[in-house]
Amino acid sequence: MAPQLIPAEAEELSRDALFSILRNERRREVINYLREHEGPVDLRELSEYIAAIENDCEENEVTYKQRKRVQTALYQMHLPKLADQNIVSYDRRAGRVELADGAEDCLPYLDAVTERSRRRWGRWYLLVAVVCAVPVGLAALGVRPFAAVSGLGYAAVVCTAFVALSVAQAVTERGI
């Protein structure tokens, strides 16, 4: 018996339909994962990958419950929606997924900004803010030796730290 693929329409997606599809982070992650892996991938692997992102852990640390929650949502909702728009080919019985021809319409939008990258950089900015705030707060409380540094000195250090972090982000994300 031949695999049962969910039928996909051949017509090009409208911009509104495309944005509606890409509005969901899980669907964006499905497309990103499939473009990094040639050929069909197993639904379980895909689910573990997405569960790891959502739970901020490594794939080997994902629990059964975390993976199953993602897998159920992919199986019941996200993959059929992507298949209906010819973005993925999805064999429900075998649990195999791969990019379809319509995925080409999505790629420019996914290349523009990735959520995963923004979340990582947000953590770095938070870390720099905390590291800079601690000595400034101690100086404001008059704790020595922090109180010995002038406000202008702290301002220079904080500005330099954030400029360096911004440059690192620009170089990493844009390949400058």
Side-chain angles (χ1 to χ4, degrees):
M1 178 183 267
Q4 186 119 7
L5 291 178
I6 295 175
E9 298 173 12
E11 63 189 53
E12 187 175 321
L13 283 171
S14 72
R15 180 179 289 185
D16 289 339
L18 184 60
F19 287 161
S20 176
I21 291 287
L22 296 177
R23 177 177 53 209
N24 184 277
E25 183 177 2
R26 280 187 178 163
R27 290 192 287 265
R28 291 191 305 270
E29 292 300 344
V30 165
I31 297 166
N32 281 327
Y33 184 82
L34 294 175
R35 70 193 277 207
E36 292 173 6
H37 296 82
E38 295 222 5
V41 299
D42 187 67
L43 179 57
R44 180 186 172 107
E45 294 171 25
L46 178 61
S47 301
E48 272 183 7
Y49 169 79
I50 294 173
I53 291 170
E54 291 179 0
N55 292 285
D56 195 27
C57 64
E58 297 297 318
E59 287 180 53
N60 60 353
E61 298 171 341
V62 171
T63 66
Y64 171 81
K65 188 176 181 180
Q66 292 168 334
R67 181 189 55 79
K68 197 65 176 169
R69 185 175 50 246
V70 171
Q71 186 171 336
T72 300
L74 291 177
Y75 180 84
Q76 292 178 350
M77 181 176 33
H78 300 298
L79 293 177
K81 186 173 272 199
L82 290 168
D84 286 344
Q85 299 298 326
N86 194 33
I87 295 170
V88 301
S89 296
Y90 173 41
D91 182 344
R92 286 187 107 149
R93 286 190 189 175
R96 307 290 286 171
V97 187
E98 66 183 316
L99 285 181
D101 294 336
E104 290 297 321
D105 296 336
C106 301
L107 300 183
Y109 298 101
L110 292 175
D111 288 339
V113 170
T114 62
E115 286 288 323
R116 209 172 48 229
S117 175
R118 283 197 312 207
R119 277 196 305 242
R120 286 189 194 129
W121 282 106
R123 289 183 189 137
W124 280 107
Y125 282 99
L126 179 61
L127 177 66
V128 168
V130 168
V131 167
C132 290
V134 169
V136 170
L138 292 172
L141 294 173
V143 176
R144 294 181 189 249
F146 300 102
V149 178
S150 72
L152 186 58
Y154 280 118
V157 169
V158 170
C159 287
T160 302
F162 279 101
V163 166
L165 185 58
S166 298
V167 169
Q169 181 181 6
V171 167
T172 301
E173 290 184 352
R174 294 182 182 91
I176 297 175

